[in-house]
Structures are given as C-alpha cells and as structure tokens.
Amino acid sequence: MVAPSAWASHILVASKSEAIQIKDKVGKLKDFQKFARKKSTCPSSQKGGDLGWFRKGRMVKAFEDAVWDTPVATVSPPCLLYTSPSPRDQRGSRIAA
C-alpha cells in the first residue's frame, strides 16, 4: 500500500520565540509566503516555503506530526526540530501551512 501524501509549506527559523512571533502575524496564505521569503533559513524560502508533495514517513517527525494534525489551509503551532537527541544539534523551529 502506498503511504498517504501531503503538500505543505514551512518557515524554518532559529528559535521558537521567533516562530511564535511569525505565526501571530500570519493571517492568510499570502502572509505565510511573504514571511517565508523574508524569515525562513531554508532554501524553500525562495518558493514561499513550499515543500511540495511528500509521503508520510519522509519528514522529521515533529514537522510531519504538525502537517498531519493541522487542518488544511491553516497554520500549525511552532514545532521544535532536532537532527539528533542532543539539544545542541537543534535545527530550529518550524511552522507549517
């Protein structure tokens, strides 16, 4: 069986507080894309944070959970992302749309 897939955008920033500030200012998709272009540290920022389609099980768990738990066309709460169990390896905070 093929895993379900989703299309999502994100904004990757250095801290949870920055992610919360951005989320509080995002009112609609155009706002999300504008903030992604200006604030995200991910190369996807050039596309307004658009990550395109991906299958379940292919993203970092915290982000994937946010994508699958957030209603369509809404912005998730910030989620913390790590590349390893050590907080020293923190990649940043991300919000999904």
Side-chain angles (χ1 to χ4, degrees):
M1 185 163 124
V2 176
S5 55
W7 184 334
S9 297
H10 77 142
I11 300 171
L12 181 64
V13 293
S15 70
K16 186 173 183 179
S17 62
E18 186 176 4
I20 290 169
Q21 289 175 354
I22 292 169
K23 183 183 182 332
D24 290 345
K25 294 177 182 174
V26 171
K28 50 191 168 197
L29 182 58
K30 269 190 173 178
D31 295 336
F32 188 97
Q33 292 168 336
K34 178 179 82 174
F35 279 106
R37 283 185 182 92
K38 288 183 177 181
K39 301 288 187 176
S40 184
T41 60
C42 181
S44 70
S45 64
Q46 296 175 5
K47 298 184 290 180
D50 186 356
L51 296 173
W53 287 99
F54 57 90
R55 295 205 184 278
K56 197 167 190 174
R58 304 285 301 162
M59 295 289 183
V60 175
K61 183 166 176 23
F63 177 70
E64 188 168 284
D65 289 347
V67 169
W68 293 103
D69 294 343
T70 303
V72 173
T74 60
V75 177
S76 75
C79 56
L80 293 177
L81 304 175
Y82 299 92
T83 55
S84 79
S86 170
R88 287 181 287 139
D89 295 333
Q90 180 179 345
R91 284 189 60 200
S93 288
R94 200 181 278 204
I95 57 177

